[in-house]
Amino acid sequence: MEDRQALELDRPVWDEAESRMLDAAAELISARGVGGVTVAEVARNAGVSRPTVYRRWASADEIVRATLLRATVTLIERFPVPATSRDEIVRDVLRFAELFRADPLYGRLLEREPEVFTRYTLQRLGQSQRVILRWIAESIALAQQAGTVRPGAPGDIAVMLLLIAQSAILSHDTVSALIDEPHWSNELWHALDGHLRP
């Protein structure tokens, strides 16, 4: 259902029952990790039947992906106004990275299950990433009109911008002994700004 929702809607929405089930899945991930998510546990914790869960998602894997998608959409909703300049894009991507790392769900995966984070975010282009790419590409197109971002297909530029930010986030803890937080943020700012600069 996650794939269908994301293709049909720019920002997918979930009804009350779906939200309860995704809340239950998020709690399971936070408490037990991704391996603790089962259809039976989600149904029990959400107070619904297993057939109700299966009507929306075919497997625990689909539930996990939908839970991560909802977490991503919730973070992007913190940016209701699209950026219209290079500086604003870099500011928003840095802020998103900060919120992403602090998010209870994604933060838990980054800290305790980095291999799971890699599987769900790097090994295939999921709907969470597609939502992020649409958000970034929209701002890139606006900033190009204003002349602060170099020419090029906004979607292509957004893909590389996402890869830069994603790699930095995933590697953050690995390099924390080599570079402190302020300098890490400063270097990421330069990497993002340099990618966009005309």
Side-chain angles (χ1 to χ4, degrees):
M1 177 152 193
E2 173 194 345
D3 288 355
R4 189 166 63 252
Q5 284 177 320
L7 288 171
E8 291 174 356
L9 300 170
D10 185 48
R11 300 279 172 84
V13 294
W14 295 269
D15 63 28
E16 183 181 345
E18 290 169 333
S19 294
R20 281 204 323 274
M21 289 183 274
L22 294 177
D23 285 343
E27 289 172 9
L28 287 168
I29 293 171
S30 295
R32 304 181 192 174
V34 168
V37 178
T38 66
V39 172
E41 286 288 334
V42 169
R44 184 179 302 111
N45 292 2
V48 300
S49 67
R50 278 188 288 180
T52 298
V53 178
Y54 278 120
R55 277 196 293 272
R56 289 159 174 85
W57 300 287
S59 66
D61 181 72
E62 284 192 14
I63 295 170
V64 169
R65 291 186 188 281
T67 304
L68 297 178
L69 174 60
R70 189 181 63 154
T72 298
V73 169
T74 299
L75 291 178
I76 289 177
E77 286 174 349
R78 303 276 295 268
F79 303 86
V81 179
T84 58
S85 69
R86 185 179 72 254
D87 284 345
E88 290 177 359
I89 293 171
V90 173
R91 177 203 65 197
D92 284 358
V93 171
L94 284 172
R95 177 64 179 148
F96 182 86
E98 179 183 317
L99 293 170
F100 187 91
R101 287 170 49 214
D103 180 77
L105 196 59
Y106 279 116
R108 197 260 185 220
L109 290 179
L110 284 168
E111 180 183 352
R112 301 184 199 173
E113 296 184 273
E115 72 288 348
V116 171
F117 177 84
T118 300
R119 184 170 79 243
Y120 280 97
T121 62
L122 299 182
Q123 291 182 354
R124 66 183 287 269
L125 185 64
Q127 293 307 316
S128 296
Q129 291 167 307
R130 292 181 191 280
V131 170
I132 295 170
L133 287 172
R134 282 195 293 268
W135 170 59
I136 297 172
E138 177 187 8
S139 291
I140 287 172
L142 293 171
Q144 285 175 324
Q145 293 172 16
T148 61
V149 168
R150 63 181 172 83
D156 294 347
I157 297 172
V159 166
M160 192 54 62
L161 200 73
L162 175 61
L163 288 176
I164 293 168
Q166 195 169 250
S167 298
I169 292 169
L170 188 58
S171 303
H172 177 271
D173 289 346
T174 304
V175 300
S176 60
L178 304 175
I179 185 170
D180 62 22
E181 187 74 25
H183 289 96
W184 180 89
S185 295
N186 184 59
E187 292 303 322
L188 180 55
W189 186 94
H190 282 289
L192 298 172
D193 183 73
H195 177 62
L196 298 172
R197 187 176 291 275

